[in-house]
């Protein structure tokens, strides 16, 4: 009865967090998600949502061009929490693709800021692809990571796989064409 009551209370608090998020109340969303996790730390969905919330709050703070030292420290703390909660979600349910995809998205947001973020992003997307081999969107996302790093061959490879998996997916064709164009522009620049 005690554990059932805590689980029910956690669901109620989680619902309040979602309602606060819909009203763009970051502080209340953050506090309610934190409380839901304390009440029931075994629900991976809470952790994924908390991870995304931390990342969004950090991103929101960084839009201010005049960050104080306290704000910078808070951004760093929020990013660390986003990573930790994304990892916790994967630890709770390592076979859930959305948990791995969330971890990859967290790392992807850190590509320009953290050493090793690209390797962690790629590894997370690859694990997600192993779990969901027919999902073209995972390949598009991974191809996008390679595209951003100007690794045209790998980007083309993953975009092509996405096209092969879902031949009517316009986004896959668009990204594939963009990667070929960039690779062609690079080849023309080298020969000129």
């Amino acid at each position: 009865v005690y554990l059932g009551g805590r689980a029910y209370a956690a669901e109620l608090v989680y619902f309040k967090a979602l309602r606060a998020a819909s009203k763009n109340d970051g502080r209340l969303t953050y506090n309610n998600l934190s409380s839901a996790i304390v009440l029931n730390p075994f629900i991976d969905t809470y952790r994924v949502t908390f991870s995304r919330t931390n990342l969004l709050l950090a991103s929101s703070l960084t839009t201010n061009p005049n960050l104080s030292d306290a704000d910078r420290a808070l951004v760093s703390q929020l990013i660390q929490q986003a990573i930790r909660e994304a990892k916790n979600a994967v630890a709770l349910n390592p076979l859930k693709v959305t948990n791995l995809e969330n971890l990859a998205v967290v790392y992807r947001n850190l590509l320009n800021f953290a050493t090793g973020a690209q390797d962690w992003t790629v590894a997370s997307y690859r694990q997600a692809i192993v779990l969901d081999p027919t999902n073209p969107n995972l390949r598009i996302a991974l191809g996008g990571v390679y595209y951003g790093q100007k690794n045209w061959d790998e980007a083309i490879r993953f975009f092509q796989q996405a096209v092969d998996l879902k031949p009517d997916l316009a986004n896959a064709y668009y990204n594939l064409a963009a990667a070929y164009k960039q690779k062609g522009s690079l080849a023309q620049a080298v020969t000129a």
Side-chain angles (χ1 to χ4, degrees):
V1 172
Y2 172 74
L3 293 177
R6 284 181 65 97
Y8 181 72
E11 282 295 314
L12 288 176
V13 174
Y14 181 69
F15 178 73
K16 287 180 185 179
L18 295 179
R19 193 170 38 205
S22 72
K23 295 177 181 175
N24 288 329
D25 188 341
R27 184 179 309 274
L28 188 57
T29 302
Y30 178 93
N31 290 337
N32 283 331
L33 286 170
S34 182
S35 296
I37 290 170
V38 168
L39 287 167
N40 191 350
F42 305 109
I43 304 297
D44 59 333
T45 305
Y46 298 171
R47 305 235 180 215
V48 168
T49 306
F50 195 45
S51 171
R52 291 178 182 169
T53 300
N54 278 282
L55 198 59
L56 287 171
L57 290 172
S59 177
S60 174
L61 282 172
T62 58
T63 60
N64 180 1
N66 301 319
L67 281 178
S68 67
D69 289 338
D71 288 340
R72 285 190 181 100
L74 181 57
V75 167
S76 177
Q77 179 185 356
L78 290 169
I79 289 171
Q80 289 172 3
Q81 283 180 193
I83 294 168
R84 183 180 62 240
E85 292 305 324
K87 285 181 175 181
N88 286 340
V90 171
L92 284 170
N93 192 347
L95 299 178
K96 191 172 180 182
V97 174
T98 54
N99 291 350
L100 284 162
E101 187 175 13
N102 178 64
L103 182 60
V105 167
V106 170
Y107 286 141
R108 187 174 186 170
N109 279 285
L110 302 175
L111 283 176
N112 297 324
F113 307 107
T115 306
Q118 180 182 357
D119 295 334
W120 303 326
T121 304
V122 168
S124 297
Y125 275 127
R126 286 183 184 269
Q127 286 177 319
I129 288 170
V130 167
L131 292 176
D132 191 0
T134 61
N135 185 340
N137 293 317
L138 293 172
R139 286 174 171 78
I140 291 171
L142 182 53
V145 172
Y146 286 120
Y147 186 92
Q149 300 299 318
K150 298 182 175 155
N151 185 342
W152 311 125
D153 292 328
E154 284 298 302
I156 289 169
R157 184 167 74 93
F158 282 100
F159 293 147
Q160 184 62 57
Q161 287 177 9
V163 167
D164 293 342
L165 284 170
K166 189 156 175 58
D168 61 345
L169 186 60
N171 192 16
Y173 282 103
Y174 176 83
N175 286 299
L176 181 60
Y180 271 122
K181 180 179 179 187
Q182 290 297 326
K183 184 178 179 182
S185 298
L186 179 65
Q188 288 174 354
V190 171
T191 58

